[in-house]
């Protein structure tokens, strides 16, 4: 089977490259540590060509990229599409990389300027496009991570979103704050400890005091020898604060959780404690689907030709 | 004038020693970097005797200490007094240091176990005792810092308090997070920038979303070149979240702000923006007064004898 295109999710700390068939199947995969922060001498073009060569891609195979490669500090800037951001606009406003010998397009991120809540995303919008393709339709999406995103999708557009620095705060507080003495120890999935759920419930009951609960983690460790509960409490507190802020209306019918691995476990548990029954979607699968859908919009001729042949 | 006692505020990163007259006047002052974290070979006794010797204290001058020297990891543990904590209990439950050749007492801290809000303080309770002596009476006290304390004082007792990791969060986020690119720059008092007040007002209007506003600081820097506002926004956001959580009832008539230097400026401005007219008290003055009042309870005979002589 001849590949239709190569698809790349190029992030801050790593990249993934897939060869995709005309119907979107994955024909080959490469992962590399050459994220935005580690691009040096070879530059973006050199890194990309090396991975494509390893995958056996022909010299004329087109490439579609999402993620931080399109940031101002990336390869070529792909300016943000503003909310409400139609999914079609991601392909329509993709930026061609002039220096590349083959056809290489970088998809834009999305920005939000409305309601005094400026926000940006690069990469997650392609996963949301992938979910749209998969028929997941409208709804509220939660994409947890270092910087968790909550996005509302309506009528094939991202109409609004919010970012929470939950993952980064957890690492900073767990490793570098006065809580580190107790919270840095790790013992399996935190969401399996009762303290995780207790912390979530306490924040949901009184969300304006989320910051005020941090030090209580240390106080309980000192007063009641509850140091071993510190990491689960910290995780529950931060995820609970994120959920309390992200979900304002209890009428929110369904939440689509885009996560895998430990994050999927922690956020699934947290959302259930908060009274929701999230459906779980795999972020890598959605990224591939989103890149493929954008590629079909960029190169309908290739696709039609291949399909007919 | 013969000193009545030596008073020591022994913190985590430094200590201060004062010689006090029978009426509480300061006859001599020493400051040193030998906080709890840096005590090594000489130990607490050696450090204390060196400072007392430099001040010309006689070998029988008694010493009263507050702060982290009484922590479990300090010189001698002075177990917490639980809320509601009568100020009289601070002297009554002071712990004598057996290894010291002179009379040395360490005042306890205060702990709170009620209402699912465990909390601890060591040092601030002595400032509150000092405010009590100064006739400041009952009320709500704000003691900002690395770990800000808000304490309610009623009928010569600390009836409840809350700790906020505001100062530590500010330093972590400003220096070590994705916000550091913009927020690490400093240009004079942050509270003088309009962005500081705007951040406070936005958090007070919607306190459950305090965490959710952090990333917007970065987004505004990327979208609108507002990077130079990042530090003021971060400070306003964190202090605003602290105020929103600490002051639940708008009926709170008066707030006594125990602060000096930059913290006094920032918190005065923040509380005024929130609609309060705080009265400002100097923390060092209160610490000296509190230690003196405890000393008078520990050694009434000395005091009477000296006064009579």
């Amino acid at each position: 089977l001849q590949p239709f295109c190569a698809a790349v999710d190029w992030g801050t700390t790593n990249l993934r490259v897939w060869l995709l068939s005309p119907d979107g199947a994955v024909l080959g995969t490469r992962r590399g540590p050459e994220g935005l922060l580690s691009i040096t001498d070879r530059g973006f073009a050199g890194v990309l060509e090396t991975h494509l060569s390893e995958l056996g891609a022909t010299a004329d195979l087109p490439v579609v990229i999402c993620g931080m490669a399109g940031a101002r500090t990336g390869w070529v800037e792909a300016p943000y599409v503003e909310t409400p951001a139609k999914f079609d606009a991601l392909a329509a406003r993709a930026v061609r990389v002039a220096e590349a010998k083959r056809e290489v397009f970088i998809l834009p991120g999305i920005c939000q300027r409305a309601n005094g809540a400026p926000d940006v995303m690069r990469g997650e919008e392609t996963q949301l496009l992938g979910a749209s393709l998969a028929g997941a339709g409208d709804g509220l999406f939660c994409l947890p991570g270092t910087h968790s995103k909550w996005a509302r999708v309506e009528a094939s557009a991202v109409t609004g979103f919010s970012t929470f620095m939950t993952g980064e705060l957890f690492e900073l507080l767990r490793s570098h704050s006065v809580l580190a003495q107790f919270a840095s120890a790790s013992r399996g999935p935190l969401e399996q400890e009762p303290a995780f759920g207790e912390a979530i419930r306490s924040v949901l009951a009184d969300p304006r005091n989320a910051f005020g609960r941090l030090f209580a983690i240390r106080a309980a460790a000192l007063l009641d020898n509850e140091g071993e509960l510190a990491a689960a409490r910290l995780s529950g507190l931060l995820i609970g604060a994120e959920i309390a802020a992200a979900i304002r209306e209890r009428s929110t019918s369904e939440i689509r959780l885009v996560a895998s691995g430990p994050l999927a476990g922690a956020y699934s548990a947290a959302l259930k404690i908060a009274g929701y029954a999230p459906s779980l979607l795999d972020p890598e699968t959605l990224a591939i689907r989103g890149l493929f859908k954008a590629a079909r919009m960029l190169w309908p001729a290739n696709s039609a030709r291949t399909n007919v042949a």
Side-chain angles (χ1 to χ4, degrees), chain A:
Chain A
L1 199 59
Q2 286 300 309
F4 163 57
C5 72
V8 183
D9 185 351
W10 209 319
T12 303
T13 58
N14 60 69
L15 88 168
R16 289 165 296 175
V17 184
W18 302 278
L19 291 194
L20 301 182
S21 78
D23 60 358
V26 174
L27 305 177
T29 301
R30 293 270 300 175
R31 295 166 200 279
E34 303 97 336
L36 180 65
L37 296 179
S38 66
I39 296 289
T40 54
D41 290 351
R42 278 188 301 164
F44 287 86
V47 169
L48 177 63
E49 288 302 328
T50 300
H51 284 289
L52 290 176
S53 165
E54 291 287 337
L55 285 167
T58 55
D60 61 349
L61 191 73
V63 178
V64 59
I65 302 174
C66 72
M68 293 303 288
R72 202 175 299 166
T73 55
W75 190 0
V76 173
E77 184 177 5
Y80 296 109
V81 176
E82 193 171 335
T83 54
K86 285 268 180 199
F87 285 129
D88 287 354
L90 296 180
R93 296 183 41 190
V95 170
R96 177 146 186 193
V97 178
E99 72 159 296
K101 284 171 188 156
R102 64 176 79 234
E103 233 181 322
V104 175
F105 279 88
I106 302 180
L107 303 180
I110 291 179
C111 74
Q112 173 175 272
R113 295 172 185 274
N115 304 325
D119 216 327
V120 293
M121 66 165 67
R122 275 199 190 276
E124 294 90 351
E125 74 293 327
T126 303
Q127 296 176 30
L128 294 169
L129 167 61
S132 159
L133 179 72
D138 294 359
L140 183 60
F141 289 78
C142 168
L143 304 95
T146 302
H147 299 155
S148 293
K149 308 283 181 188
W150 286 72
R152 190 163 287 284
V153 174
E154 297 168 286
S156 294
V158 178
T159 52
F161 65 99
S162 307
T163 302
F164 299 86
M165 292 173 56
T166 308
E168 183 165 10
L169 278 168
F170 182 70
E171 286 307 318
L172 281 174
L173 288 167
R174 182 183 206 178
S175 305
H176 301 292
S177 81
V178 72
L179 305 181
Q181 176 187 353
F182 303 106
S184 58
S186 185
R187 352 168 269 176
L190 298 175
E191 70 271 16
Q192 293 179 8
E193 302 184 35
F196 176 83
E198 288 159 17
I200 287 175
R201 277 183 282 268
S202 73
V203 174
L204 292 175
D206 185 14
R208 71 186 288 158
N209 194 28
F211 276 120
R213 291 179 187 282
L214 289 171
F215 191 78
I217 294 170
R218 175 173 173 82
L222 293 172
L223 293 175
D224 302 319
N225 279 317
E226 292 183 352
E228 63 180 16
L229 306 182
R233 281 188 171 142
L234 178 59
S235 176
L237 195 161
L238 294 174
I239 295 176
E242 177 184 327
I243 292 173
I247 307 175
R248 302 308 185 88
E249 308 129 33
R250 292 291 297 181
S251 61
T252 298
S253 56
E254 198 187 350
I255 293 167
R256 296 189 174 84
L257 175 60
V258 182
S260 60
L263 281 174
Y267 275 75
S268 287
L271 286 165
K272 281 171 193 162
I273 289 164
Y276 298 94
S279 54
L280 190 62
L281 301 168
D282 179 62
E284 182 161 315
T285 303
L286 294 191
I288 294 168
R289 283 183 186 161
L291 285 161
F292 176 69
K293 186 166 188 190
R296 292 283 297 250
M297 290 188 268
L298 285 167
W299 304 296
N302 297 25
S303 154
R305 187 184 62 220
T306 316
N307 282 344
V308 169

